[in-house]
Amino acid sequence: MEKSDSKTKSFKDLVVWQKAHAFVLNIYQQVKIFPEDYQALVGDMLCESATAIATNIVGGYKKKDREEKLLFLTTAQEALEECRYYITLATDLNLLDSFQAEELENNLNEVSYLLNSYARSIRRRKEGDSRKEDDSRD
């Protein structure tokens, strides 16, 4: 599903980043239509948490240490859950209608799935590396 880091030239090659970035752009478009007094409150928090998903994917991309890379991806997943809350809040405050909220949730679910898959593939590679080290010690 995801290309491994060794086969990519840039974080932009990662499908998970592409989907996260598209989500960020969508969030910014939605927030533009918030009333001005809510843009500075809910809108800014929503934009910040959405952007944190993509920036943490970028932050972990070039890390050689797989634990460090996974830490960035965990932080991205935490930001994703914050986004989920802010979408709920924006909906409850009638800043987003149910159709907009559902579309954002669907996009978020796709990013979450890809993020989890990417992290799982890194964990598998890490476990494979550990087994190779153990075998070389025998």
Side-chain angles (χ1 to χ4, degrees), residues 68-110:
E68 200 172 351
K69 185 181 293 273
L70 288 168
L71 183 60
F72 275 91
L73 297 181
T74 298
T75 304
Q77 189 69 47
E78 291 167 356
L80 188 144
E81 293 304 322
E82 282 181 22
C83 252
R84 199 178 304 278
Y85 167 71
Y86 290 128
I87 291 168
T88 300
L89 179 60
T91 304
D92 290 347
L93 292 171
N94 296 314
L95 302 171
L96 295 170
D97 64 35
S98 60
F99 176 78
Q100 292 166 315
E102 186 176 335
E103 180 186 354
L104 292 172
E105 280 286 339
N106 289 338
N107 294 340
L108 208 50
N109 288 339
E110 183 178 20

Side-chain angles (χ1 to χ4, degrees), residues 56 59-75 122 126:
N56 277 288
Y61 176 72
K62 285 291 187 182
K63 298 295 181 193
K64 300 296 180 207
D65 180 68
R66 291 203 171 106
E67 269 310 309
E68 200 172 351
K69 185 181 293 273
L70 288 168
L71 183 60
F72 275 91
L73 297 181
T74 298
T75 304
I122 292 167
K126 181 178 175 236

Side-chain angles (χ1 to χ4, degrees), residues 13-125:
D13 295 332
L14 297 172
V15 174
V16 66
W17 177 84
Q18 293 167 7
K19 296 292 185 174
H21 182 64
F23 177 75
V24 171
L25 295 176
N26 193 354
I27 287 293
Y28 273 81
Q29 287 300 313
Q30 296 294 328
V31 168
K32 275 186 192 179
I33 61 172
F34 284 9
E36 197 172 308
D37 52 337
Y38 284 103
Q39 279 183 4
L41 300 170
V42 179
D44 285 354
M45 291 183 285
L46 185 53
C47 288
E48 185 178 319
S49 60
T51 303
I53 299 167
T55 57
N56 277 288
I57 293 167
V58 171
Y61 176 72
K62 285 291 187 182
K63 298 295 181 193
K64 300 296 180 207
D65 180 68
R66 291 203 171 106
E67 269 310 309
E68 200 172 351
K69 185 181 293 273
L70 288 168
L71 183 60
F72 275 91
L73 297 181
T74 298
T75 304
Q77 189 69 47
E78 291 167 356
L80 188 144
E81 293 304 322
E82 282 181 22
C83 252
R84 199 178 304 278
Y85 167 71
Y86 290 128
I87 291 168
T88 300
L89 179 60
T91 304
D92 290 347
L93 292 171
N94 296 314
L95 302 171
L96 295 170
D97 64 35
S98 60
F99 176 78
Q100 292 166 315
E102 186 176 335
E103 180 186 354
L104 292 172
E105 280 286 339
N106 289 338
N107 294 340
L108 208 50
N109 288 339
E110 183 178 20
V111 173
S112 182
Y113 175 80
L114 292 169
L115 194 53
N116 287 331
S117 296
Y118 185 39
R120 204 170 19 257
S121 72
I122 292 167
R123 277 189 207 94
R124 271 191 241 120
R125 281 187 269 154

